[in-house]
Amino acid sequence: MNKQEKVIGVLGGMGPEATASFFYKLIHSTKGVKKDQDHFRIFIDNNPKIPDRTKAILGEGESPLPALIETAKNVEKAGADVIAVPCITSNYFLKEVQKEVTIPIADVFAELNKYLRQDPNNIKKVGVLCTTGTRKTELFQNKLDAFEIFYPSPDTQKAKVMEAIYGPEGIKQGNIGNVPKRLLQEAALELINAGVDVIISGCTEIELALKQEDVTIPLIDPMQVLAESLTRNT
């Protein structure tokens, strides 16, 4: 299948701005573009009605699985050849979603693992900023088992990371300015002081507020890694 034939589906809406950011990543990761027709065809179902993944994992809300399956089927029916999901926490549910569709769901953790292993700086200690839901599932420990995974302290996780994402001045409220940036910088500094080699933006909202220039060590965006993989593989 050549680039012109491959169709990418995006199971989005978790949240909408993170989905829009991923769309731009796909566009800008595509190499050799000289005209509109050189880009990939992309179907996006931006479904913000999918129940909150973290609340479900913590037993505080309804399961997002039925809505995830419905949305995946939508992009499959639209004609996608592969599905990308710009939400890290949702990976807890994607094994079950994959059973309900016939096209592959791109594995962001497999691509991230490959990326880290190929890094010439011999990465060993990986700091992760993510939702409490993702942290509880131990997705990063299980999927990146060749690396030592570090998280912020429980207090920092609640007061800074989750506040930056979900708080009244947080990213999910549409604020990607100084308040969430400062909170995430402080959480990142805790990880840096713990001696990590890199920090991973382990929630798709985090990269909207925290940028490479805000931290002193490499900041890795898994969705950028995934976008590059999808637009590189033909």
Side-chain angles (χ1 to χ4, degrees):
M1 182 183 295
N2 62 37
K3 186 170 75 175
Q4 286 72 24
E5 294 172 337
K6 181 180 180 180
V7 179
I8 299 171
V10 179
L11 196 173
M14 304 174 284
E17 195 161 358
T19 298
S21 177
F22 184 66
F23 181 37
Y24 279 109
K25 288 179 175 66
L26 289 171
I27 293 169
H28 294 300
S29 296
T30 305
K31 306 299 183 184
V33 171
K34 297 181 180 179
K35 58 186 183 300
D36 288 349
Q37 290 75 20
D38 292 332
H39 283 281
F40 290 90
R41 189 171 186 179
I42 301 170
F43 290 115
I44 301 173
D45 187 343
N46 184 67
N47 184 3
K49 307 305 181 183
I50 298 171
D52 188 273
R53 285 63 57 198
T54 292
K55 287 183 178 179
I57 291 167
L58 297 177
E60 299 171 357
E62 66 178 297
S63 172
L65 185 57
L68 288 167
I69 291 170
E70 177 193 3
T71 311
K73 287 183 175 180
N74 284 346
V75 293
E76 180 180 40
K77 290 174 184 176
D81 299 304
V82 61
I83 299 173
V85 187
C87 171
I88 297 294
T89 310
S90 69
N91 279 264
Y92 178 73
F93 304 94
L94 294 186
K95 184 177 180 180
E96 295 303 312
V97 178
Q98 181 66 84
K99 294 176 182 178
E100 303 297 327
V101 292
T102 59
I103 59 175
I105 299 175
D107 188 340
V108 64
F109 280 100
E111 296 302 329
L112 183 59
N113 194 33
K114 189 186 307 180
Y115 180 91
L116 292 171
R117 286 174 177 269
Q118 292 174 347
D119 191 287
N121 295 313
N122 191 26
I123 295 169
K124 294 181 179 178
K125 298 180 178 181
V126 175
V128 178
L129 298 175
C130 64
T131 66
T132 301
T134 298
R135 182 168 172 168
K136 182 176 180 180
T137 64
E138 299 188 345
L139 281 167
F140 280 91
Q141 293 97 309
N142 294 332
K143 301 288 189 177
L144 306 179
D145 58 2
F147 305 94
E148 190 175 358
I149 304 298
F150 289 76
Y151 295 106
S153 69
D155 286 346
T156 298
Q157 176 69 24
K158 180 179 179 180
K160 296 181 180 179
V161 180
M162 290 298 281
E163 186 70 14
I165 298 169
Y166 285 97
E169 296 185 77
I171 300 164
K172 283 189 177 292
Q173 300 291 332
N175 182 8
I176 56 173
N178 290 332
V179 172
K181 181 190 295 289
R182 175 181 55 79
L183 291 170
L184 292 169
Q185 278 182 303
E186 291 171 359
L189 182 59
E190 184 178 297
L191 293 172
I192 293 168
N193 290 338
V196 301
D197 300 311
V198 297
I199 294 174
I200 293 177
S201 296
C203 168
T204 46
E205 261 80 24
I206 287 174
E207 62 91 9
L208 299 173
L210 188 70
K211 307 297 183 182
Q212 180 60 71
E213 60 266 24
D214 299 321
V215 295
T216 57
I217 64 174
L219 179 66
I220 299 172
D221 175 9
M223 290 301 133
Q224 181 63 42
V225 173
L226 181 61
E228 291 175 3
S229 170
L230 287 167
T231 54
R232 180 176 62 246
N233 297 334
T234 58

